[in-house]
Amino acid sequence: MKAGDFLDLRRRLLALGADKTALGLLDAAMDADRIVGAALDPPQRPELHPLAGWVHTRDTAHMIAWAVNGAAPPALRRPSPSRRGPVASAPLMGAQERGAFFANLREAVDKAAGAGENHVLLRRQALYLTSYDRSPEANSWTAHALHARRGLVAGPGGSPRWAEARSTATALARRSDPVPLLDFIDRSIADDDAAEAANLNYWAYWVGALREPQPDDAFMADRQLTGWDPATLLRGLAQGFHESPGYVDLYAHSLWALLTAHRWLPQSSPAIAHALAGRVVRILDDGSISPRSRRELGAVHYVLRDHQH
């Protein structure tokens, strides 16, 4: 439909009492639809692929996951109202479309890899999305492609190579291999001011604290941490910390870095700080985290406990 008609529809739905959270995800849904469409019918020129000229966000990734594996975005995981007649429980692709989606993404990764540094954003984002494919025939390709890049030497914090190494490590963690992510935190984030800033900038964009669309990874190099709201980032990290246990070490380090840079945050967001403190205590009591994460979460708990009031 025309853009004006779409805006009118969205505002009319809001006036009629439509779910505000769902309406807020329409932009991410349209971005996901563009990516799915391009994966099913790839453009002739790689630079025209949506993954080549725009850094996608967590909301968009969640929408794509909803389409390929039926896992609803966390923001929409609640009972749905009853409807008249049969209705799909998710915008799930058919098996044939899903197979084509991942096959074309893998082909995009291979082509972008052959183009060197010209299509690093396409390669990084397409490879990350292939980690959503758990079909037996895809496991060997995805595992090989990710492990082939696990030894990637990260460049300076915020550089395309650094972002690619981070994305590869998180994709491997998604596939139950946490060691590369632990190594990346130790070697390519911790004790490096540029990398610490890049990690927080990436998180800010990923969770929506940095609202402006980004055409490439250059925004991560801002060492002044400008352009995004720390309280929104704290809320996003606290939410993800609860929903994504596979990334507990990255969340732990990122929370520690954020609260080190902005120790006033618990006072500005007491409800979030209180809930997060309880989650931190449970993880510390569980004892299944790395020594670094234990130290950093201990410091996070101290800040949350003693600086809420």
Side-chain angles (χ1 to χ4, degrees):
M1 60 171 33
K2 294 179 180 179
D5 292 339
F6 174 75
L7 289 173
D8 182 65
L9 174 64
R10 178 152 55 180
R11 288 164 183 164
R12 181 165 173 75
L13 287 170
L14 182 64
L16 291 171
D19 185 289
K20 294 182 177 65
T21 301
L23 287 175
L25 291 172
L26 281 174
D27 288 342
M30 289 191 295
D31 283 327
D33 191 66
R34 289 180 62 241
I35 293 169
V36 169
L40 292 175
D41 185 17
Q44 293 297 315
R45 293 161 53 192
E47 63 270 21
L48 298 179
H49 199 291
L51 293 174
W54 165 76
V55 184
H56 72 252
T57 65
R58 180 174 67 177
D59 285 343
T60 300
H62 284 167
M63 287 293 175
I64 294 171
W66 199 13
V68 299
N69 62 29
L76 299 180
R77 290 175 190 168
R78 53 186 181 275
S80 298
S82 60
R83 299 172 185 266
R84 297 179 181 177
V87 63
S89 60
L92 189 62
M93 294 183 195
Q96 186 174 356
E97 277 192 325
R98 190 161 59 247
F101 173 81
F102 285 118
N104 289 336
L105 276 181
R106 291 191 287 269
E107 184 176 349
V109 171
D110 289 337
K111 287 183 177 179
E117 301 303 310
N118 293 331
H119 299 304
V120 63
L121 184 63
L122 173 60
R123 181 175 69 232
R124 172 174 80 76
Q125 298 196 118
L127 181 56
Y128 180 82
L129 289 177
T130 64
S131 70
Y132 284 71
D133 189 0
R134 295 306 182 96
S135 63
E137 61 272 17
N139 277 337
S140 58
W141 184 95
T142 304
H144 174 77
L146 288 170
H147 281 279
R149 307 199 70 77
R150 69 178 293 174
L152 185 72
V153 177
S159 68
R161 280 196 170 274
W162 181 91
E164 185 179 12
R166 184 188 186 279
S167 183
T168 300
T170 55
L172 284 164
R174 172 186 293 281
R175 299 181 66 84
S176 304
D177 182 1
V179 175
L181 185 54
L182 291 171
D183 289 344
F184 183 79
I185 294 169
D186 283 341
R187 299 174 184 175
S188 301
I189 299 182
D191 304 319
D192 180 332
D193 290 345
E196 295 283 14
N199 183 54
L200 291 180
N201 288 332
Y202 195 3
W203 272 123
Y205 183 71
W206 183 249
V207 305
L210 175 58
R211 304 293 299 178
E212 293 77 14
Q214 300 297 328
D216 53 42
D217 294 328
F219 73 96
M220 299 181 206
D222 176 16
R223 295 180 63 171
Q224 304 304 313
L225 305 182
T226 59
W228 49 266
D229 174 38
T232 302
L233 177 53
L234 178 64
R235 185 182 307 111
L237 289 175
Q239 177 186 355
F241 200 38
H242 175 70
E243 297 168 350
S244 308
Y247 303 125
V248 62
D249 296 287
L250 183 57
Y251 276 103
H253 182 79
S254 303
L255 282 166
W256 170 82
L258 178 62
L259 291 174
T260 297
H262 302 288
R263 295 182 70 87
W264 51 267
L265 272 174
Q267 295 172 316
S268 71
S269 309
I272 296 172
H274 178 74
L276 182 58
R279 174 69 175 158
V280 167
V281 168
R282 288 191 292 274
I283 292 176
L284 288 172
D285 289 343
D286 180 65
S288 59
I289 54 176
S290 70
R292 172 185 290 279
S293 294
R294 176 165 290 279
R295 292 194 306 272
E296 291 174 345
L297 281 183
V300 167
H301 184 250
Y302 173 80
V303 174
L304 294 173
R305 181 191 64 193
D306 291 354
H307 297 270
Q308 289 186 45
H309 305 292

